[in-house]
Amino acid sequence: MSVRYAIYLAPPPDSALWRFGSSVVGYDAETGEDIAPPALAGFTPEEWFEQTHEPRRYGFHGTLKAPFRLAEGADETDLFAALARFAAGHHPFELPPLEVRQIGTFIALVPPAPVPALEDLAADAVEELDALRAPLREAEIARRKPERLSARQLAYLHRYGYPYVREEFRFHMTLSSALAEPALGRATQALCDAYAASGAHLPVKVEDAALYVQEAPGMRFRILHRAPLGA
């Protein structure tokens, strides 16, 4: 089975943050439509389109539980039910204004400080929904470049299918593919300026956990369902 699912944090579709992030990556995962990029200093629309091929495939999001295939014997009905139980155990909370930062060779929006409610949400998503996750295939493990992971990250990769969970979790909302200098520096400044002008630098209410789906390898993820927190 090649269909993959992911549990992501997706800002409300009518929020400035969702509009900004979706325009930057060039795709709205809520509607499935392409979006024209914002005006970014130093980049033509065509150039910026090339710099966002990776985040565009996943849609604008913050990872709670990384993409996974369903375990043998499990189906979408099981996943919807498990997601509803998980979401009901968490109350809505406020995400503070995010900041544009470089993370290695790519650019993302990150909180200025840890958000305990968000970290709890991600930790519980990893644990409580893991029974529905199929084990990683060898090729999936290889794509994570296990030789570059720490011992703890490698253990998490084999245990949860993703190395950056629990103590290794760092919430971020990706805005670019991997970039080399000088494009990385130019893009960071351009995104900082565009973000400041967008009106998205505001607190955002997190009221649901979003289920994204990728119907086949290479296809874009889209939002299949939003499970209300505390419902």
Side-chain angles (χ1 to χ4, degrees):
M1 186 175 180
S2 59
V3 177
R4 291 199 301 168
Y5 301 89
I7 313 302
Y8 289 154
L9 186 154
D14 59 352
S15 67
L17 180 59
W18 178 259
R19 291 193 297 270
F20 172 77
S22 296
S23 69
V24 168
V25 304
Y27 167 62
D28 188 321
E30 185 83 46
T31 65
E33 297 176 353
D34 289 342
I35 300 180
L40 295 177
F43 296 90
T44 66
E46 294 75 19
E47 288 171 337
W48 187 249
F49 187 84
E50 291 299 317
Q51 308 291 6
T52 52
H53 60 87
E54 190 70 11
R56 185 162 50 254
R57 180 150 49 99
Y58 293 92
F60 185 55
H61 74 277
T63 298
L64 300 176
K65 187 169 182 64
F68 60 93
R69 291 173 292 104
L70 285 177
E72 185 175 355
D75 60 23
E76 229 174 58
T77 301
D78 300 320
L79 180 56
F80 271 61
L83 180 60
R85 289 192 298 270
F86 153 72
H90 292 266
H91 295 295
F93 62 92
E94 194 170 76
L95 193 65
L98 303 179
E99 299 176 350
V100 175
R101 290 187 191 168
Q102 291 181 16
I103 302 179
T105 58
F106 68 93
I107 306 165
L109 289 168
V110 301
V115 182
L118 173 58
E119 296 187 354
D120 289 346
L121 188 68
D124 287 350
V126 166
E127 189 68 48
E128 294 178 20
L129 300 172
D130 207 56
L132 293 171
R133 179 183 62 83
L136 290 179
R137 297 166 175 160
E138 288 301 318
E140 292 171 326
I141 294 174
R143 279 199 294 271
R144 289 293 176 188
K145 296 182 171 53
E147 69 279 1
R148 300 183 183 180
L149 300 177
S150 68
R152 184 166 64 188
Q153 290 168 347
L154 186 60
Y156 283 153
L157 176 64
H158 288 290
R159 172 63 183 86
Y160 296 111
Y162 190 59
Y164 307 111
V165 301
R166 298 198 174 278
E167 303 94 330
E168 300 293 332
F169 175 71
R170 300 292 183 271
F171 180 80
H172 61 278
M173 307 187 81
T174 304
L175 297 175
S176 78
S177 302
L179 303 174
E181 292 292 1
L184 179 60
R186 288 193 294 113
T188 302
Q189 185 58 57
L191 286 171
C192 283
D193 293 343
Y195 182 52
S198 70
H201 192 267
L202 296 169
V204 171
K205 192 78 169 179
V206 177
E207 299 182 310
D208 55 49
L211 175 63
Y212 282 49
V213 63
Q214 182 191 43
E215 299 288 355
M219 290 184 65
R220 294 177 185 174
F221 280 79
R222 62 179 176 82
I223 295 178
L224 180 62
H225 175 63
R226 288 177 180 262
L229 299 184

